[in-house]
Amino acid sequence: MNDMSSPVALTKKDFESNQDVRWCPGCGDYAILAQIQKLLPTLGIPRENFAFISGIGCSSRFPYYMETYGMHSIHGRAPAIASGLKLARPDLSVWVVTGDGDALAIGGNHFIHAMRRNVDLKVILLNNRIYGLTKGQYSPTSEMGKKTKSTPLGSIDRPFSPVALALGAGATFVARSVDTDLPHLSAVLARAAAHKGTAFVEILQNCIVFNDGAYSTLTDKATRDDARVILEDGKPLVFGKARDRGIRLRGMEPEVVTLGEGGVAESELVVHDEKAAHSGLAFFLSQFDTPDLPVPLGVFRSVRNDSYDELNAQLHADTRAKKGDGCLTDLLHSGETWTIG
């Protein structure tokens, strides 16, 4: 007889649903799904205490493929629904899976307020810089000049930086990874899962059908080492295939330097501090982009502040201590009432 009081060791397979996964062959969603299914058994949380909430889009099919509780909700509103769920059931591990169109266009307002409130959610944004489900319209992260079915002459919108937006809204954990670097993606997701408060992860992702090559300079072996810098807390910003390039400040402007050239030493480089009291350095890094500067990957910011659900629980406890348990009937009859004829 099994000891029902003993925790059951879970595996990746326990989090795989019986649904056929229907993304396009070669889509990065497969890798992201697999990494999350591998991560969850390591967290020591019962499977029934996970919930995945999504909006609309390719990424938002995610809950179907997870053997957990979940909800495929309406466009852009996943953060609001997830926030309500977390407040009602603080014991749950609540995850939001969204895309660049879902989170930053239709759901832009909900995204901002989820970041500033610091509800204990894990928000995973799959950014392929295109609307894939609706066949290739430009999204809020499409680059200027992008020609799509809805911008045949080229987009004249300036794109959002999801990382900069999250930092500007006050997020306490902000990170970025890429779907093709599985060890890095796995490590970033694990950091997000361990964070108390809103943990935001942007995953740069290719759309093989409607935006193929969206991040090719960051993923191709020939160019990636010079096109990206891996953020490591407390370490200088060094990058390049030979690890001989770095970022130095010239006044308030960043510049790329070669170590040893002209006497440049590693001690002159910017040192990453993900726990800085202010988010200025993280925001500074969020502005980096090719071809002038390498794209940062890793944890931009990780600080501990009271989460919204913790504050809400304390508020309720304090009020109950002062006034005792409430009565709904008394509340409904406590103010002025009137009869509508």
Side-chain angles (χ1 to χ4, degrees):
M1 179 179 292
N2 292 331
D3 181 359
M4 300 299 288
S5 64
S6 301
V8 177
L10 299 171
T11 68
K12 173 178 178 289
K13 198 167 185 61
D14 291 311
F15 290 91
E16 297 173 354
S17 79
N18 61 2
Q19 300 297 301
D20 292 335
V21 182
R22 295 184 178 180
W23 285 311
C24 300
C27 177
D29 286 2
Y30 288 97
I32 298 165
L33 174 67
Q35 291 307 307
I36 291 180
Q37 288 171 331
K38 286 180 182 175
L39 170 66
L40 299 192
T42 70
L43 301 180
I45 299 172
R47 187 174 57 174
E48 62 271 23
N49 280 9
F50 286 103
F52 280 75
I53 313 296
S54 68
I56 299 295
C58 295
S59 62
S60 295
R61 299 182 62 81
F62 215 92
Y64 290 119
Y65 308 136
M66 297 297 299
E67 189 65 13
T68 63
Y69 288 105
M71 181 175 180
H72 188 175
S73 69
I74 53 178
H75 220 331
R77 272 63 174 177
I81 294 168
S83 296
L85 176 60
K86 184 64 184 180
L87 291 178
R89 287 288 306 274
D91 56 315
L92 299 184
S93 177
V94 181
W95 295 62
V96 172
V97 181
T98 182
D100 42 299
D102 185 57
L104 304 179
I106 299 92
N109 197 40
H110 295 283
F111 177 83
I112 291 170
H113 292 290
M115 295 298 115
R116 79 176 175 89
R117 286 182 175 131
N118 198 34
V119 186
D120 189 21
L121 306 175
K122 318 307 168 194
V123 181
I124 311 300
L125 190 154
L126 282 52
N127 181 8
N128 57 15
R129 291 179 168 169
I130 204 78
Y131 279 94
L133 188 69
T134 47
K135 314 302 182 190
Q137 299 84 12
Y138 82 121
S139 85
T141 57
S142 297
E143 58 271 38
M144 284 190 74
K146 184 73 174 179
K147 291 185 177 179
T148 70
K149 291 178 179 176
S150 58
T151 54
L153 302 180
S155 169
I156 56 173
D157 284 4
R158 297 183 186 281
F160 267 136
S161 162
V163 165
L165 187 62
L167 289 166
T172 55
F173 182 95
V174 180
R176 177 194 285 150
S177 190
V178 61
D179 61 347
T180 56
D181 189 339
L182 300 186
H184 187 266
L185 176 59
S186 175
V188 165
L189 289 172
R191 289 283 311 275
H195 182 74
K196 178 63 179 175
T198 302
F200 171 68
V201 180
E202 177 193 21
I203 303 176
L204 307 180
Q205 176 207 25
N206 195 39
C207 175
I208 198 165
V209 175
F210 297 107
N211 199 19
D212 194 21
Y215 300 104
S216 58
T217 56
L218 297 179
T219 56
D220 287 352
K221 287 184 179 179
T223 58
R224 66 186 184 189
D225 292 326
D226 291 323
R228 62 186 187 179
V229 56
I230 303 298
L231 301 178
E232 297 179 90
D233 190 37
K235 295 186 178 180
L237 301 182
V238 176
F239 67 103
K241 189 169 293 185
R243 301 282 297 167
D244 62 345
R245 309 179 75 192
I247 305 297
R248 182 176 69 178
L249 280 179
R250 184 176 55 192
M252 294 298 288
E253 292 294 324
E255 65 173 348
V256 174
V257 295
T258 300
L259 293 172
E261 190 173 277
V264 175
E266 193 171 287
S267 59
E268 298 178 41
L269 304 183
V270 176
V271 175
H272 184 45
D273 181 2
E274 64 183 35
K275 298 181 179 63
H278 302 287
S279 59
L281 174 61
F283 194 82
F284 169 77
L285 293 170
S286 74
Q287 307 303 300
F288 284 19
D289 202 357
T290 56
D292 298 326
L293 293 163
V295 173
L297 300 177
V299 177
F300 288 71
R301 182 164 172 77
S302 177
V303 294
R304 179 72 168 96
N305 285 337
D306 291 337
S307 68
Y308 190 91
D309 39 299
E310 287 175 323
L311 294 171
N312 182 64
Q314 189 61 52
L315 189 65
H316 281 227
D318 291 346
T319 303
R320 188 172 288 113
K322 289 179 182 176
K323 299 185 176 182
D325 291 333
C327 173
L328 181 59
T329 302
D330 291 345
L331 175 65
L332 293 174
H333 293 84
S334 62
E336 295 181 0
T337 60
W338 62 94
T339 302
I340 299 175

